[in-house]
Amino acid sequence: MKNLTLYRSNVVCYARAELSCTMPNLETLVLRSGEEVVNTPMLPSKFLYLKHLSIHLTSGLSFSPSYDYFSLVSFLDVSPSLETLILDVSQEHMEHESVFGDSSQFRQMTEHRHRCLKSVKISGFSSAKSLVELTCYILNNAVSLECLSLNTVYGFRCSDKGCKGFHPISQGILEEAPRVAMAIRTYIEDKVPSTVKLTVLGPCSECHGRPDGLHNKV
């Protein structure tokens, strides 16, 4: 089997721990989790042929602040053929420690060059320190990266070609938007190579006009 979609609680941890041994020939993997509270383990087993990885983390309100987005590095480091990564984080409130509330230095990993990863899309992007760390790790190590898309809104959003009506976004996401904009400017923008196209998307300026600098920026 080359393509697989899984939906269950803690599916990311399960997939990392089990599938690299039982399904080593996977090329496309889609993981959907309604509750992810166990961090992704660092293990020696590899996904040698995995090219496309999509991770969808969904929560009714917010994820446990103890969940470490940076642990997803475990998937990247054992997938030498990975070309595309999609991470979709759906929550109404961000309760993780913000990058502005934790003064400790970013974690450092052993240098690992990802020579095939070309496209990374993260929706539901926030100022959570571990998520910013993950993004910076990708920028520092994905030497073939062509495009990075950071969307502060999860799931459905207004068309980029014109607003077609109001689409509700939680107050928590709207309040987080200015912090996200500052996190991107402070920690991410200066790490983006000239060869990488950075796209930053936020709440629709027509539906949710806010002075946060996150309205459909490219």
Side-chain angles (χ1 to χ4, degrees):
M1 182 180 293
K2 294 184 178 181
N3 304 319
L4 180 66
T5 297
L6 289 178
Y7 180 82
R8 53 169 285 180
S9 297
N10 294 314
V11 69
V12 181
C13 177
Y14 168 81
R16 179 65 189 92
E18 301 293 336
L19 296 185
S20 54
C21 296
T22 60
M23 305 184 72
N25 295 322
L26 281 174
E27 294 183 3
T28 299
L29 179 59
V30 179
L31 303 175
R32 300 181 182 276
S33 177
E35 182 181 16
E36 198 73 24
V37 296
V38 181
N39 293 333
T40 310
M42 299 294 291
L43 299 169
S45 54
K46 296 181 180 294
F47 291 94
L48 293 177
Y49 305 102
L50 187 64
K51 295 181 179 180
H52 309 288
L53 174 62
S54 296
I55 299 174
H56 303 268
L57 305 177
T58 304
S59 173
L61 293 175
S62 62
F63 285 102
S64 168
S66 64
Y67 181 73
D68 185 5
Y69 295 111
F70 189 68
S71 69
L72 295 175
V73 166
S74 172
F75 252 113
L76 302 181
D77 284 358
V78 298
S79 305
S81 301
L82 192 66
E83 297 177 3
T84 63
L85 170 65
I86 295 175
L87 174 60
D88 184 13
V89 180
S90 300
Q91 60 182 342
E92 294 188 7
H93 300 279
M94 197 281 287
E95 294 187 359
H96 279 73
E97 183 74 35
S98 171
V99 69
F100 299 112
D102 185 346
S103 60
S104 61
Q105 293 185 341
F106 282 8
R107 285 168 286 183
Q108 300 294 321
M109 299 285 290
T110 302
E111 188 174 279
H112 192 114
R113 296 301 184 189
H114 301 282
R115 303 189 182 280
C116 294
L117 187 58
K118 297 180 179 179
S119 174
V120 175
K121 297 180 180 180
I122 304 177
S123 60
F125 190 77
S126 69
S127 68
K129 183 176 181 180
S130 62
L131 189 54
V132 175
E133 285 181 305
L134 174 65
T135 306
C136 290
Y137 173 85
I138 291 171
L139 286 170
N140 289 334
N141 292 277
V143 295
S144 297
L145 191 66
E146 296 176 356
C147 56
L148 171 64
S149 175
L150 304 177
N151 188 350
T152 66
V153 179
Y154 58 83
F156 186 79
R157 71 186 306 277
C158 294
S159 169
D160 293 335
K161 296 182 180 180
C163 180
K164 297 181 179 179
F166 180 79
H167 303 291
I169 299 174
S170 74
Q171 186 63 30
I173 296 301
L174 291 175
E175 292 175 352
E176 170 69 2
R179 288 190 291 271
V180 181
M182 181 63 71
I184 292 172
R185 287 194 293 266
T186 304
Y187 297 102
I188 295 175
E189 283 187 350
D190 64 349
K191 290 183 172 60
V192 179
S194 60
T195 55
V196 176
K197 178 182 179 181
L198 172 64
T199 301
V200 180
L201 299 172
C204 170
S205 58
E206 295 185 41
C207 288
H208 308 280
R210 295 176 62 88
D212 52 30
L214 272 176
H215 303 317
N216 301 343
K217 286 179 56 181
V218 177

